[in-house]
Amino acid sequence: MTDVLSRSTKHNHDDGARVDVAALGQALLGKWAEVRLQARELAGRPELHKVEGLSHTEHRERVFRQLGLLVENNGVHRAFPVRLGGTSDHGGNVAGFEELVLADPSLQVKAGVQWGLFGSAVLHLGTQEHQDKWLPGIMSMEIPGCFAMTEIGHGSDVASIATTATYDAVTQEFVINTPFRAAWKEFIGNAAVDGLAAVVFAQLITRGVNHGVHAFYVDLRDPETKEFLPGIGGLDDNIKGGLNGIDNGRLHFSNVRIPRTNLLNRYGDVAGDGSYSSSITSPGRRFFTMLGTLVQGRVSLDGAAVGASKVALKIAIQYATERRQFNAASDTEEVVLLDYQRHQRRLLPRLATTYAAAFAHEELLQKFDGVFSGTHDTDEDRQDLETLAAALKSLSTWHALDTLQECREACGGAGFMVENRLTSLRADLDVYATFEGDNTVLLQLVAKRLLADYSKDFRNLDFGVLARFVVGQAADLTWNKSGLRQVAQFVADSGSAQKSAKALRDENTQHELLAGRVQSMVSDIGAALKDAGKLPKDKAAELFNSSQNALIEAARAHAELLQWEAFTEALHRIGDPGTRKVLARLRDLFGLTLIEKHLDWYLMNGRISMQRARTLAPYINRILTKLRPHALDLVDAFGYGPEHLRATIATGIERERQDEARDYYRKLRASKDAPMDEKVMVQKAKARR
């Protein structure tokens, strides 16, 4: 394995700044550095790599065998209890899972289904009796399993799933039914071929009362024949747009009886006589608590998406520093792609966003570990984790798809070749935008939390305090929207574009602009929805729907702010001055491209002057120029060797081709055999006249 982190050299450049690649790489590895490096070594093994061109059935068989290799190499059991052979290391477990995307996204997701969803459901929703009974087989792959939550009729609306588990007190069994086709479990990993059992989510009904969604352990197939057990059926989803190493399928149940003790009853139980009990009295809170225990799927997808973005940028930037095209700057030398401003605009802001997403993910992972280790496990901690995971998973998965596509295009025809991985990764990661929660729905969840926090500030205030708040808001609106702030900025900036640009690169200014946008958007929506609670249900829903787009945009702005803050916190922890200087520029690039992206909002709301707005794009371009010499260092710090990239254009082959071509033309020009260019011949003829 090529370990770029072991390099101790510091790369010097003309501006005096330099990047300590090893130190930066260590910072990017985060708290679970050792686990990540172990997982990368495993992901670098050829026997775990995706083989392009396999049929979907061959790919499935290969990935299933690879799960056995993960078990043999102790790569996937960190989260499970020590008594069963795990290490109870929840953060390290997810960190290790994420690195599997380097080998094959199908492997990462199928492993996630087996141990991160199916196994975790037994671990977190069951009792110790359930764990001791089923987890050893789940951990060893003796029991390949499914996580049967999603229904074709209710994708992201889990609370409304239609599968039922009705208790029969006479036989002390639950009877599982999918009453109509829209209730079939759909897109279920391991369902088509490999799954012997499933954790099935269904509406628990006992004594004529529906107690909401609960989880049940259900055997699916005969271990010997691999045929479905009586009452259970399914269909194979066959070839998908990506992740074809996973046997996704559909499941349906017709009067399938399971023992009462197969209810995973940590949060809700049914006694032999059919009486229901729960330590959580509120059905809504109970539902969200049960789903909250399974948040690690979103956490790991966030990290895997960041990893895929890193791979794409390493490939594309490596290629862009070697590939030459057009000779506008010289009669004899073509220009390296990354020296073109537009190419820098295509890749470097996405590099900055990837760094921001990576640092934000590390904070999410530590939050996750705090909750699941029990060190920080209050209701508020769990709510914060849910909100943070929903926000960051949405942004990072969308960013990965955008980055993979842009990197593909930036590499031209070479980027379209399967041997260079970009198209394959793009196809495999496509479903990440809707997997473990549709991104748009997740952002709506984030927005509701923002509104809830906003409303808490005013729930118990008297009229006088509210009146003063309204007056303050009115003054703020007058200051911003009347143009007074624009005038103040114009006076301060007039005659000095340099002064205006300096203000934009100020850390506090960036934070004020990004945070102010979130606060303003949330308060505007809060004001628009303040009377919703007094309206009939249909009118309240109509009012909420009229603000839905604004809600989602506010949630996205909040997630962007979280990423900027995480980047800034990480920047402050960098000890090496040269590395910190380069990273500060990269953080500024991230912040200022966000402001540029939303410049219409800032102008319309009077948060930025026209004078300052005009300086934004030129200043971003200057940052790009200063970052250009450090681009390779910044992607080398990701720490990926050729066994992780597996892209021909990232091996240095393009530099060899370009050097060969330049040497050929250099020798040809120096020889007597070089043909005369027609334009040169015409110019000489004109000169003789």
Side-chain angles (χ1 to χ4, degrees), residues 6 212 222 237 254 256 279 314 353 364 438 460 481 542 548 553 620 635 669 680:
S6 66
D222 184 302
D237 283 337
S254 179
V256 175
S279 58
K314 169 60 181 172
T353 303
L364 170 62
D438 178 282
N460 299 314
K481 295 186 177 179
E542 183 180 335
Q548 187 179 41
E553 288 304 310
I620 288 174
V635 292
R669 287 192 299 271
V680 175

Side-chain angles (χ1 to χ4, degrees), residues 318-389:
Q318 183 79 47
Y319 182 70
T321 61
E322 298 173 359
R323 180 76 160 90
R324 294 177 178 272
Q325 192 78 43
F326 306 115
N327 58 355
S330 168
D331 290 333
T332 58
E333 294 288 333
E334 292 183 294
V335 178
V336 172
L337 290 183
L338 201 56
D339 286 344
Y340 287 109
Q341 184 187 82
R342 182 57 188 167
H343 216 76
Q344 294 169 9
R345 271 275 187 170
R346 299 175 79 174
L347 298 180
L348 297 187
R350 289 174 172 85
L351 178 62
T353 303
T354 300
Y355 263 78
F359 289 129
H361 175 69
E362 175 66 16
E363 293 195 0
L364 170 62
L365 195 54
Q366 293 197 30
K367 184 74 174 176
F368 168 81
D369 186 69
V371 168
F372 280 79
S373 68
T375 57
H376 299 284
D377 189 17
T378 65
D379 281 347
E380 187 174 359
D381 286 321
R382 286 184 173 263
Q383 290 175 26
D384 287 346
L385 174 61
E386 278 282 330
T387 306
L388 192 59

Side-chain angles (χ1 to χ4, degrees), residues 380 383-384 387 445-461 465-474 476-477 515-532 544 547 551 554-555 558 607:
E380 187 174 359
Q383 290 175 26
D384 287 346
T387 306
L445 181 155
V446 175
K448 287 181 178 179
R449 173 67 190 278
L450 292 175
L451 279 179
D453 287 350
Y454 171 81
S455 67
K456 284 178 187 176
D457 293 336
F458 308 106
R459 183 173 296 160
N460 299 314
L461 298 183
V465 174
L466 280 173
R468 287 194 295 275
F469 173 77
V470 171
V471 170
Q473 285 289 93
D476 185 59
L477 291 174
R517 181 166 181 262
V518 176
Q519 292 164 358
S520 179
M521 294 172 83
V522 173
S523 63
D524 284 350
I525 297 166
L529 299 178
K530 61 179 172 49
D531 294 326
F544 187 86
S547 295
L551 277 164
H558 173 66
R607 298 300 176 98

Side-chain angles (χ1 to χ4, degrees), residues 676 680-689:
M676 183 179 294
V680 175
M681 183 184 69
V682 171
Q683 289 171 355
K684 286 185 176 180
K686 288 181 178 178
R688 288 196 295 266
R689 289 177 189 162

Side-chain angles (χ1 to χ4, degrees), residues 315 419-421 645-654 657:
I315 293 169
E419 68 177 16
N420 292 317
R421 288 195 73 195
L645 301 176
R646 304 194 302 284
T648 303
I649 57 173
T651 62
I653 191 173
E654 188 60 34
R657 286 197 290 249

